Amino acid sequence: MAARKLDKRKLFMLLALALLAAGVVLAVSFIEKSGIAPRTLAPYIAKRTSGHNPAIVGAGTFVATQLTSFDRGDSLPAPTLRLNLGAQPGGVATRPAPGAREIMVGSADEARQALGDAHAGDIITFLPGRYRFTGKGVPARGTGRADAPILVRALAPGSVTLELETVEGILVTGPWWRFENLTIEGVGGDDNYCEHAFHVVGRAFHFAALNNTITNFNAHFKINGDNGHFPDGGLIESNTLSNTRGRRTANPVTPIDLVAASGWMVRHNIISDFIKEQGDQVSYGGFFKGAGKQNIFESNLVWCEHKLQGRPGQRVGLSLGGGGTGKPYCRDQRCIAEQERGELRANLIVACSDVGIYLNSAAASVVNDNTLIDTSGIDVRFASTSANVDGNLVDGGIRTRNGALLREGDNRTSFVSYAYLGMHPQRGLLRDPLAADFTWQGTPPARNVDRMTRRTGVRLCGPASSLNAYGAFDDFAACRVSATTASSSAAN
């Protein structure tokens, strides 16, 4: 009888273990299929358990905190970013057109008049100082040319600060305008009325902004069409875009907000700290949407939560399609696809509370050679989306939803379920990524040449090498400003 009882106990234990194992397998299978990362589940649990009795609220808070900790690790001081990206202290200097007229301005009124009256080839140079603009935005409506753009500049970065207490700062409606080496600050007290540093509209094609430092706006660059005209062919290069606090608004918060324009290049910028505190609390580092074509994010650093960490809401790194566009604002009045033939290549995207890359109704997209660290991965969504995704290093997964077509090449990814155990194998390939040390731990894993679809040849910093490394860079040392350069810049 004792032997039979022992056998029954063993059988019961085996059955219990089998049920437990089956439950674990089902849970892991569900997590991998759904792609729900702990950082996504945590706020849902906290929200669902709020408003109940203290025990339930406490339990929900504890579970949410633990899930976030497993996924994102401990909070760290904001790392210093001394990189060959974003605005540089050496500045840029566009060569003037032959016979160009230079206009020196020393006050906000002089600047407003000079920009309002500018003609092709004019150079508007701010004298060193601070300039405060109030009331209406500053119109830039003159017509430049390819061989004679209208140039607005500071001679030395950091010498000129434009303080904008306006809904939109500089309203660009004419073609071939170029802005260089400026520091621009939003100083409006109400974030609902401090929207844009630059609003690029309608016929403002071939706009360019280089080496500017822009802080405290909802959308540092807002680009959109007007009356059937679209500001195509723009360039946003080597700018530093950030906010010093969360934006107290329900309006869109997206430093680069492009709707319906085509042929833009956005490269070598640093974009950080775009926190939307009200409304749906969803914000983006940058998006292209509204049925434009052939827009490119290339070699940018997007650090979603750099100095502003641990805030409620969802931050997405970069997106083709964003959250969608109302049909009247679409280039084709239909938005069958939000974007067509858009590309994201060699971008480094870090510390986002949501996905690092989001494709929403983005046809014929290319997502190659990006590095995503401390995000919930890449999300490819809706039947109108098709994407080639190759060569990416993703601290998380790549998932498709709602009928999207994904052609996946050779990417280095992690199982989503690993994050529930605090495991991050892609982070482990790098020395200390959350402290901005992206040095490889030893020799980087080489890509599988048989699975490559194509190499862009583009790197975050420096030339491509023979390493065939996954992600945005072969050697992150090429992105760092040397100690000699840093001390020379400080001395100047």
Side-chain angles (χ1 to χ4, degrees), residues 167 188-195 218 247-251 278:
V167 175
D190 187 338
D191 291 348
N192 293 305
Y193 301 101
C194 187
E195 289 275 19
N218 297 337
R247 303 298 293 170
R248 295 186 287 267
T249 183
N251 295 341
Q278 298 175 5

Side-chain angles (χ1 to χ4, degrees), residues 3 60 211 318 366 424:
N211 210 70
L318 296 174
V366 174
H424 302 282

Side-chain angles (χ1 to χ4, degrees), residues 299-368:
S299 303
N300 301 284
L301 169 58
V302 180
W303 199 298
C304 296
E305 300 167 11
H306 178 224
K307 295 181 179 179
L308 305 179
Q309 301 176 14
R311 310 300 174 91
Q314 291 77 52
R315 265 70 66 191
V316 177
L318 296 174
S319 176
L320 303 179
T325 310
K327 290 183 179 180
Y329 305 104
C330 296
R331 191 177 184 118
D332 59 3
Q333 302 290 297
R334 296 180 295 171
C335 269
I336 294 172
E338 287 285 344
Q339 280 293 286
E340 186 177 341
R341 288 175 284 160
E343 295 192 40
L344 296 96
R345 56 198 192 202
N347 299 286
L348 172 58
I349 303 173
V350 184
C352 303
S353 58
D354 208 303
V355 292
I357 292 175
Y358 177 49
L359 305 185
N360 169 13
S361 188
S365 303
V366 174
V367 180
N368 279 10

